[in-house]
Amino acid sequence: MRLRSWLFHNFREVSRLFGFEEIDFPVLESEALFIRKAGEEIRDQLYCFEDRGNRRVALRPELTPSLARLVIQKGKSAPLPLKWFAIGQCWRYERMTRGRRREHYQWNMDIIGVPEVTAEAELLSSIITFFKRIGVTASDVGFKVSSRKVLQEVLRSYSVPEDSFGRVCVIIDKIGKIPVEDIKKDLKLAGMSEVAVEDLLQVLSIKSLEKLEEILGDSGEAISDLRQLFSLAEKFGYSEWIQFDASVVRGLAYYTGIVFEGFDREGKLRAICGGGRYDKLLSTFGGDDLPACGFGFGDAVIVELLKEKGLLPKLDHQVENIVCALDSDLQGAAAAVATILREKNQSVDLVLESKPLKWVFKRAARINAQRLILVGLDEWQKGMVSVKILSSGEQYEVKLVELE
Ligand SMILES: OCc1cccc(Br)n1
């Protein structure tokens, strides 16, 4: 819990630095919010059930659809651009054989209402700011960046119907996770010809914008978006963190433009985080489309990375004071001392039962108390208490009114 609170504190601090406002959504949503016909894994693992009102509901597997619903609900009342962040628990029903969690917490940041790639550049900057805060460097982690418009331009040149686009992306996201023969089979099932599949896989292996430009030409949106993003990265000062990689498509069907994912350079872990542009998501829920982009950052892989890099913070429980009555009829006096200290914004562990001093010293050590405040009869009658600084052993008496 201390590690989770430390992570969330850093998520929140970075969101604050970027001027984002915190929002939240219900963990339980209508199942329909997450039903998409693109064959996504997230659909197969939906943690869904029928409630007592015979409604089909689901524990959310991600936050973006809830955000889209909220943007539509807010309608014109929320002035654009919206810069919202959330930290929410998400669920999936995985067979336990895979030994993976069925729930995790995800930090999301989303910018709604900005069509330019300045929005994606800002989001990448926020994640890199987070990594830097916790000691992760560009030698540990990088971002593979691409655009789904690369895919779109290739698919259009083979007249693959637009409505297969999401499905093709989900298949391509499995590259490296399932045999390439299965990828090719699935792509053909999705309506692509043999030639189109071979060509597409060729394009997806491209790792440089220059090479991509040779294939796609320099007039398409994909190239101009990516060139602008890499130029902004230069200005932000995080070029060393990002690289073009045409194979990045991300596994969510609704991305429409720039996509990116954070990876560990040693290649030992799954993607750390990921996100991209989703300009057409709102209309799938009946709203007017608005340009949008965002990312999700789970609390599982990042902890594995911190362990790998020896970056786990030491997070001991800390209390400034432990207050103890030296005999039972001074328990009220001890409570009064605790209250005075707490009103001075000092943390106090108040000993709530009569215990031998040996026990009190042991507890003080266990909770890392900085000071032991003893309420004894003689001192109390003089309006004083005795203070022991536990690190130095220094001990002194002080007037209660001067205790701080
Ligand atoms: O990253 C996908 C995901 C979604 C919900 C729960 C968990 Br654990 N993981």
Side-chain angles (χ1 to χ4, degrees):
M1 193 61 210
R2 289 182 213 144
L3 182 55
R4 181 198 293 180
S5 303
W6 173 82
L7 266 182
F8 287 15
H9 170 72
N10 281 285
F11 288 157
R12 285 203 165 85
E13 269 302 283
V14 169
S15 304
R16 182 183 64 80
L17 292 175
F18 280 72
F20 279 57
E21 196 167 11
E22 184 160 14
I23 53 168
D24 192 15
F25 325 102
V27 174
L28 192 73
E29 288 275 17
S30 302
E31 182 188 49
L33 200 64
F34 309 110
I35 302 286
R36 299 186 292 260
K37 296 181 177 43
E40 295 151 292
E41 185 181 56
I42 210 161
R43 166 80 183 83
D44 306 337
Q45 297 174 339
L46 203 54
Y47 216 129
C48 49
F49 56 94
E50 189 155 297
D51 74 3
R52 293 181 188 281
N54 303 108
R55 297 177 194 81
R56 290 296 305 168
V57 289
L59 292 176
R60 64 191 175 197
E62 56 167 328
L63 300 179
T64 308
S66 303
L67 176 131
R69 185 175 59 76
L70 191 63
V71 170
I72 294 168
Q73 213 173 311
K74 283 280 176 192
K76 308 278 181 280
S77 68
L80 298 178
L82 301 175
K83 295 181 181 179
W84 287 347
F85 84 94
I87 302 173
Q89 192 172 28
C90 296
W91 296 79
R92 66 180 172 194
Y93 194 86
E94 275 224 329
R95 297 182 320 287
M96 281 325 268
T97 46
R98 287 183 63 170
R100 289 208 291 177
R101 290 164 57 181
R102 285 192 170 137
E103 55 72 41
H104 74 168
Y105 283 85
Q106 226 190 62
W107 171 41
N108 277 222
M109 288 178 84
D110 290 85
I111 299 174
I112 313 292
V114 175
E116 292 81 17
V117 295
T118 43
E120 289 93 323
E122 176 80 332
L123 291 176
L124 279 166
S125 177
S126 67
I127 311 174
I128 289 161
T129 303
F130 171 77
F131 279 132
K132 286 177 169 176
R133 280 176 70 92
I134 63 173
V136 173
T137 69
S139 331
D140 303 318
V141 162
F143 287 86
K144 293 174 185 166
V145 178
S146 184
S147 169
R148 286 204 167 168
K149 292 177 184 173
V150 172
L151 216 57
Q152 221 159 23
E153 288 171 27
V154 174
L155 296 182
R156 276 198 191 123
S157 67
Y158 285 95
S159 12
V160 173
E162 287 288 320
D163 58 8
S164 328
F165 180 62
R167 196 159 147 229
V168 168
C169 291
V170 171
I171 296 166
I172 285 160
D173 182 60
K174 294 174 186 164
I175 288 176
K177 299 165 193 165
I178 67 172
V180 71
E181 286 320 307
D182 293 350
I183 301 275
K184 291 181 178 177
K185 184 164 64 60
D186 291 350
L187 287 173
K188 285 171 205 152
L189 284 176
M192 290 185 67
S193 67
E194 182 94 30
V195 174
V197 167
E198 288 310 323
D199 198 23
L200 176 62
L201 294 178
Q202 188 56 41
V203 169
L204 293 176
S205 65
I206 294 173
K207 302 270 189 271
S208 84
L209 283 183
E210 293 65 33
K211 186 88 179 67
L212 185 72
E213 207 163 298
E214 281 171 30
I215 306 273
L216 294 187
D218 61 358
S219 57
E221 282 185 26
I223 281 288
S224 61
D225 285 353
L226 287 160
R227 287 234 177 272
Q228 191 187 358
L229 183 69
F230 278 83
S231 152
L232 283 166
E234 193 75 39
K235 304 288 184 301
F236 271 103
Y238 61 70
S239 296
E240 59 176 339
W241 287 78
I242 66 170
Q243 63 200 55
F244 172 71
D245 183 329
S247 67
V248 173
V249 284
R250 298 296 297 158
L252 294 168
Y254 49 68
Y255 287 128
T256 56
I258 295 283
V259 284
F260 52 83
E261 73 186 26
F263 69 99
D264 81 290
R265 293 188 187 277
E266 288 192 36
K268 291 183 183 166
L269 307 172
R270 303 187 306 282
I272 301 164
C273 57
R277 179 162 289 277
Y278 52 93
D279 286 349
K280 297 204 170 26
L281 182 62
L282 272 68
S283 53
T284 62
F285 299 128
D288 299 330
D289 268 333
L290 279 173
C293 59
F295 68 80
F297 194 124
D299 68 346
V301 180
I302 183 63
V303 171
E304 290 168 50
L305 178 78
L306 293 174
K307 282 177 187 161
E308 283 285 322
K309 302 294 176 186
L311 287 171
L312 278 180
K314 191 169 171 352
L315 300 164
D316 294 329
H317 181 43
Q318 281 276 324
V319 171
E320 285 150 309
N321 304 280
I322 180 166
V323 173
C324 172
L326 282 181
D327 43 55
S328 55
D329 53 12
L330 284 169
Q331 189 60 43
V337 173
T339 304
I340 290 167
L341 284 168
R342 286 164 177 160
E343 282 167 355
K344 293 171 190 266
N345 203 30
Q346 286 256 343
S347 59
V348 174
D349 178 274
L350 176 60
V351 177
L352 301 168
E353 46 207 328
S354 66
K355 288 284 184 186
L357 259 186
K358 193 162 174 292
W359 180 95
V360 177
F361 274 98
K362 243 172 101 180
R363 177 163 177 82
R366 201 165 52 245
I367 63 173
N368 281 327
Q370 290 159 17
R371 286 192 318 183
L372 168 59
I373 315 283
L374 292 172
V375 182
L377 189 56
D378 299 348
E379 294 87 354
W380 188 250
Q381 280 167 346
K382 293 181 291 182
M384 302 181 80
V385 290
S386 121
V387 177
K388 188 177 183 60
I389 308 299
L390 292 165
S391 54
S392 63
E394 181 199 354
Q395 181 152 348
Y396 53 89
E397 290 186 357
V398 64
K399 277 192 176 21
L400 191 54
V401 290
E402 290 162 10
L403 181 60
E404 54 189 17

